[in-house]
């Protein structure tokens, strides 16, 4: 099953992506991890992305799309995948439409107020990129990643003012994707709950529907 997880930054897409990939035995693919992998393995698109990042510029669409194409061509995606963080814009979605058929889009809906409160508690491993939360997903040892032992940090974009700005960008650029995929009849809406387990139950039910 080829899936996309849509939702505002901080809606819990990464957590649900992990659950879905375990449930369906398919890889969860996030844009950040994809770019990191491409940089690490020195692929053609990875090197292109590095040149933009080194110059402090945003990685342009055609490079991100190229990285996604490289990743989806790998063997572990043969039976499907979960995309988290891509596509972000209509042009990216249209490029993806030409690459693969998307079976379902899970639209994770959470209010802006809840997201601002939620994201200020988020912590990320500076080494492997694993995510934690001071309330919902605590590491075993405070400030230390369970997976690789790296240091957990609060990213600049998890500060409340930055979150508000990111939400504005989401509503303007990414939210239109819901209408794009509704035309294809593949959108399933999931209302994010206070408890992660409740959101997971609704997400898995949406997959079966």
């Amino acid at each position: 099953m080829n899936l996309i997880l849509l939702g505002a930054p901080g809606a819990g897409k990464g957590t649900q992506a992990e659950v879905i990939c375990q449930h369906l035995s398919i890889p969860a693919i996030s844009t950040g991890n994809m770019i990191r992998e491409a940089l690490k393995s020195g692929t053609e698109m990875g090197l292109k992305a590095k040149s933009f990042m080194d110059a402090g510029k945003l990685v342009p669409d055609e490079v991100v799309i190229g990285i996604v194409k490289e990743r989806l061509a790998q063997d572990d995606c043969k039976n499907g995948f979960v995309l988290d963080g891509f596509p972000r814009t209509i042009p990216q979605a249209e490029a993806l439409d030409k690459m693969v058929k998307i079976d379902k889009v899970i639209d994770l809906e959470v209010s802006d107020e809840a997201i601002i409160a939620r994201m200020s508690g988020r912590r990320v491993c500076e080494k492997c990129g694993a995510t934690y939360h001071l309330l919902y997903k605590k590491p075993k040892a405070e400030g230390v990643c369970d997976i690789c032992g790296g240091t957990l940090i609060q990213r600049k974009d998890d500060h409340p003012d930055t979150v508000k700005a990111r939400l504005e960008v989401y509503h303007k650029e990414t939210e239109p994707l819901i209408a794009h995929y509704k035309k294809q009849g593949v959108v399933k809406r999931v209302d994010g709950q206070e408890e992660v387990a409740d959101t997971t139950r609704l997400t898995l039910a949406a997959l079966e529907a």
Side-chain angles (χ1 to χ4, degrees):
M1 193 184 279
N2 298 340
L3 299 166
I4 293 171
L5 272 176
L6 279 183
K13 298 186 298 297
T15 303
Q16 296 309 319
E18 285 174 26
V19 171
I20 293 167
C21 76
Q22 286 168 6
H23 185 70
L24 297 176
S25 299
I26 56 177
I29 300 169
S30 81
T31 314
N33 287 344
M34 239 184 310
I35 290 173
R36 273 192 290 274
E37 277 175 33
L39 290 173
K40 210 167 155 187
S41 48
T43 66
E44 183 192 345
M45 287 297 165
L47 293 170
K48 277 189 182 176
K50 187 176 187 303
S51 68
F52 285 100
M53 289 161 82
D54 287 349
K57 294 176 183 172
L58 282 176
V59 180
D61 263 9
E62 71 258 24
V63 178
V64 177
I65 290 161
I67 287 172
V68 171
K69 199 171 184 177
E70 285 178 346
R71 181 65 187 88
L72 297 185
Q74 291 177 21
D75 282 351
D76 63 342
C77 292
K78 276 182 184 167
N79 298 321
F81 51 80
V82 187
L83 277 172
D84 164 22
F86 184 91
R88 286 182 194 268
T89 61
I90 295 290
Q92 287 183 356
E94 288 168 348
L96 185 64
D97 288 344
K98 290 173 187 166
M99 279 186 242
V100 288
K101 183 185 177 293
I102 295 300
D103 300 306
K104 263 183 193 161
V105 174
I106 303 292
D107 169 30
L108 202 52
E109 289 287 337
V110 180
S111 74
D112 285 5
E113 294 77 14
I115 283 172
I116 291 163
R118 190 185 281 184
M119 284 184 76
S120 56
R122 194 157 74 168
R123 298 294 180 268
V124 179
C125 175
E126 60 180 357
K127 219 162 146 191
C128 75
T131 56
Y132 297 87
H133 197 280
L134 301 181
L135 292 177
Y136 307 114
K137 193 186 174 187
K138 293 179 183 178
K140 287 169 188 160
E142 194 179 330
V144 180
C145 177
D146 295 350
I147 298 163
C148 73
T151 304
L152 302 185
I153 55 167
Q154 183 182 41
R155 299 189 314 190
K156 282 181 190 169
D157 52 7
D158 286 339
H159 285 284
D161 288 348
T162 317
V163 174
K164 284 176 193 167
R166 289 177 71 201
L167 286 168
E168 279 173 29
V169 171
Y170 170 78
H171 292 309
K172 188 179 166 189
E173 292 184 3
T174 307
E175 211 165 41
L177 291 176
I178 297 166
H180 174 84
Y181 286 112
K182 271 185 178 170
K183 285 179 198 162
Q184 298 177 21
V186 293
V187 175
K188 299 284 178 191
R189 177 181 165 132
V190 172
D191 288 313
Q193 305 296 306
E194 191 66 39
E195 295 293 328
V196 174
D198 293 332
T199 305
T200 297
R201 181 174 45 77
L202 294 173
T203 301
L204 294 177
L207 287 182
E208 306 301 327

